[in-house]
């Protein structure tokens, strides 16, 4: 008779996992990052609860304000932002906070100041909120620079200087995906326990995928290398199958699928928007950090995303990320002079 599988009695929670990792790092680790990540976990649980209840407690729709990008804010955007700012400030571990929803960085007052800076998009994928489609929180963490008491310059640094990055996706379950610079792990919220449990240890993005994820509604604005690359995967050489298209319009969901299944996600710079749509600090950097940590590549088409030095907190940047072989294929189109250039 087949042996009956018993439920595990040795659950690895996110806190336990991160603590073990910090201990492994030895005496340099003070436990502060673990405490900060605990605060972020709590915000994810709180936001997840509100996302679930949104339709029932009148949380759908507009808040009546526009954010710094001139976009209308949804009620859940505003609520999620407040949840994060309050929890991160109260953690006593932060010095600078940058949110997509706030024009200026928040500099934490001395009595609550810690040594980390958190850049975040509290609820990404706003256009999908009211339809109940997956949305998420994206965050990146820097340590303040030596001697600094917390200033904006502490976050105007390349993405490769981040000490941790991650996102929580609010879908059929809440999934928190995190890297502290030593690989990528995924945790699923067990709502009955109120804990994120390690369910996806050491996520490795497949070296090649079969899916491309672009908003092709922008095709008329795309530059030649983007168009030529997309044509190459839609009309491949004889004997090869074309790629499948999947585009949710929530970066967290599109990147989550790309990390697990492989393929390429892109929001390129184009003739209409030189730098595309996505924000460098709290969208492109954390996702590029996770992609590289999972063995993939993240580029603007002309350079590594994580090497960009930001000049302002809300700047945008072109994004292509995903499986190593797929992104390398795309890069070949960016490195070959385009027809228009050749004719000139
Ligand atoms: P948001 O921060 O206003 O939600 O916008 C960011 C989102 C990303 O999640 C997603 O990748 C992109 O916008 C989709 O944009 P589009 O609707 O132009 O395809
Ligand atoms: Mg966003």
């Amino acid at each position: 008779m087949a042996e009956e599988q018993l439920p595990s009695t040795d659950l690895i929670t996110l806190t336990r996992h991160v603590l073990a990792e910090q201990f492994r790092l030895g005496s340099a680790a003070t436990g502060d990052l673990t405490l900060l990540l605990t605060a972020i976990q709590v915000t994810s649980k709180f936001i997840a609860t509100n996302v679930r209840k949104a339709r029932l407690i009148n949380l759908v729709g507009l808040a009546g304000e526009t954010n710094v990008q001139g976009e209308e804010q949804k009620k859940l955007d505003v609520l999620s932002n407040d949840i994060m700012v309050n929890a991160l400030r109260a953690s006593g571990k932060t010095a600078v906070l940058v949110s997509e929803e706030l024009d200026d960085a928040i500099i934490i007052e001395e009595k609550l100041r810690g040594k980390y800076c958190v850049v975040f998009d509290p609820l990404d994928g706003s256009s999908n909120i009211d339809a109940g489609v997956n949305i998420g929180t994206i965050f990146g963490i820097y340590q303040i620079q030596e001697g600094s008491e917390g200033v904006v310059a502490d976050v105007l640094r390349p993405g490769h200087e981040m000490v941790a990055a991650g996102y929580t996706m609010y879908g059929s379950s809440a999934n928190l995906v995190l890297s502290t610079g030593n690989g990528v792990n995924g945790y699923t919220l067990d709502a009955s326990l109120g804990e994120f449990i390690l369910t996806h240890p050491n996520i490795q993005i497949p070296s090649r995928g079969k899916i491309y994820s672009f908003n092709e509604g922008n095709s008329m604005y795309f530059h030649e290398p983007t168009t030529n690359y997309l044509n190459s995967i839609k009309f491949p050489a004889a004997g090869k199958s074309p790629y499948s298209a999947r585009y949710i319009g929530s970066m967290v969901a599109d990147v989550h699928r790309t990390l697990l299944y492989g393929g390429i996600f892109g929001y390129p710079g184009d003739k209409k928007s030189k730098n595309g749509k996505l924000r460098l600090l709290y969208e492109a950097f954390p996702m590029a950090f996770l992609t590289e940590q999972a063995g993939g590549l993240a580029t603007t088409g002309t350079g590594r995303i994580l090497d960009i030095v930001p000049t302002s907190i809300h700047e945008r940047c072109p994004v292509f990320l995903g499986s190593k072989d797929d992104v390398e294929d795309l890069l070949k189109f960016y490195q070959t002079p385009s027809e228009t250039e050749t004719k000139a």
Side-chain angles (χ1 to χ4, degrees):
M1 204 171 83
E3 235 177 76
E4 204 181 320
Q5 283 272 328
L6 291 172
S8 171
T9 52
D10 190 23
L11 297 178
I12 304 178
T13 63
L14 197 161
T15 309
R16 170 178 163 185
H17 202 221
V18 172
L19 263 178
E21 174 65 14
Q22 298 299 301
F23 280 133
R24 206 183 53 77
L25 291 176
S27 54
T30 56
D32 279 4
L33 184 61
T34 310
L35 287 170
L36 175 59
L37 291 168
T38 304
I40 292 179
Q41 276 189 71
V42 174
T43 64
S44 290
K45 292 177 201 170
F46 196 2
I47 297 171
T49 308
N50 283 298
V51 168
R52 287 267 134 77
K53 291 190 297 200
R55 177 63 61 188
L56 300 170
I57 57 172
N58 195 28
L59 267 178
V60 292
L62 300 175
E65 300 283 327
T66 52
N67 66 10
V68 64
Q69 341 277 344
E71 299 155 347
E72 284 175 323
Q73 289 177 305
K74 300 273 166 90
K75 289 181 194 169
L76 269 176
D77 279 329
V78 176
L79 183 84
S80 306
N81 178 64
D82 291 351
I83 288 174
M84 290 202 68
V85 170
N86 288 333
L88 292 173
R89 173 184 271 130
S91 74
K93 301 298 170 202
T94 59
V96 182
L97 305 178
V98 169
S99 165
E100 182 183 6
E101 301 301 333
L102 301 171
D103 298 10
D104 300 315
I106 296 180
I107 307 295
I108 303 293
E109 58 273 30
E110 197 181 347
K111 69 176 190 324
L112 285 175
R113 191 186 301 144
K115 62 177 182 205
Y116 291 104
C117 311
V118 186
V119 293
F120 55 95
D121 182 350
L123 204 57
D124 184 60
S126 304
S127 68
N128 281 321
I129 292 179
D130 294 353
V133 176
N134 287 14
I135 46 184
T137 300
I138 311 174
F139 59 90
I141 303 174
Y142 292 97
Q143 197 164 338
I144 52 171
Q145 302 181 95
E146 193 81 32
S148 170
E149 293 185 341
V151 287
V152 174
D154 287 315
V155 297
L156 296 180
R157 289 152 65 198
H160 63 249
E161 291 187 21
M162 284 184 169
V163 293
Y167 60 79
T168 306
M169 182 178 75
Y170 311 107
S172 51
S173 54
N175 284 90
L176 198 155
V177 173
L178 174 70
S179 175
T180 52
N182 183 36
V184 180
N185 293 292
Y187 310 82
T188 305
L189 181 62
D190 181 326
S192 58
L193 292 175
E195 288 283 356
F196 280 100
I197 308 294
L198 179 67
T199 47
H200 297 71
N202 192 21
I203 295 173
Q204 293 282 325
I205 184 166
S207 57
R208 179 174 290 284
K210 298 178 190 149
I211 295 172
Y212 72 100
S213 188
F214 286 65
N215 182 348
E216 286 196 284
N218 293 327
S219 291
M220 68 180 279
Y221 306 118
F222 285 168
H223 292 305
E224 244 172 71
T226 310
T227 309
N228 291 343
Y229 169 70
L230 289 173
N231 283 337
S232 77
I233 55 178
K234 292 192 287 184
F235 304 96
K240 284 191 167 179
S241 303
Y243 277 41
S244 288
R246 295 283 185 279
Y247 188 75
I248 296 166
S250 282
M251 190 189 197
V252 172
D254 283 316
V255 171
H256 189 66
R257 184 201 53 248
T258 306
L259 285 178
L260 296 183
Y261 297 177
I264 183 165
F265 165 83
Y267 211 112
D270 61 24
K271 291 170 200 154
K272 197 169 107 201
S273 315
K274 188 169 144 276
N275 291 319
K277 175 182 183 191
L278 300 173
R279 271 52 63 120
L280 178 61
L281 263 187
Y282 40 80
E283 292 177 333
F285 273 170
M287 294 312 202
F289 189 95
L290 290 166
T291 303
E292 285 199 5
Q293 284 289 323
L297 292 177
T299 174
T300 61
T302 51
R304 182 186 179 211
I305 290 176
L306 291 179
D307 285 343
I308 300 174
V309 183
T311 52
S312 66
I313 58 174
H314 294 295
E315 77 186 67
R316 299 172 194 263
C317 114
V319 172
F320 299 100
L321 58 80
S323 296
K324 187 171 169 290
D325 294 353
D326 289 312
V327 176
E328 277 172 354
D329 285 351
L330 168 108
L331 284 171
K332 285 180 203 141
F333 287 88
Y334 271 85
Q335 281 146 11
T336 328
S338 69
E339 260 177 54
T340 355
E341 276 175 86
T342 329
K343 278 184 206 145

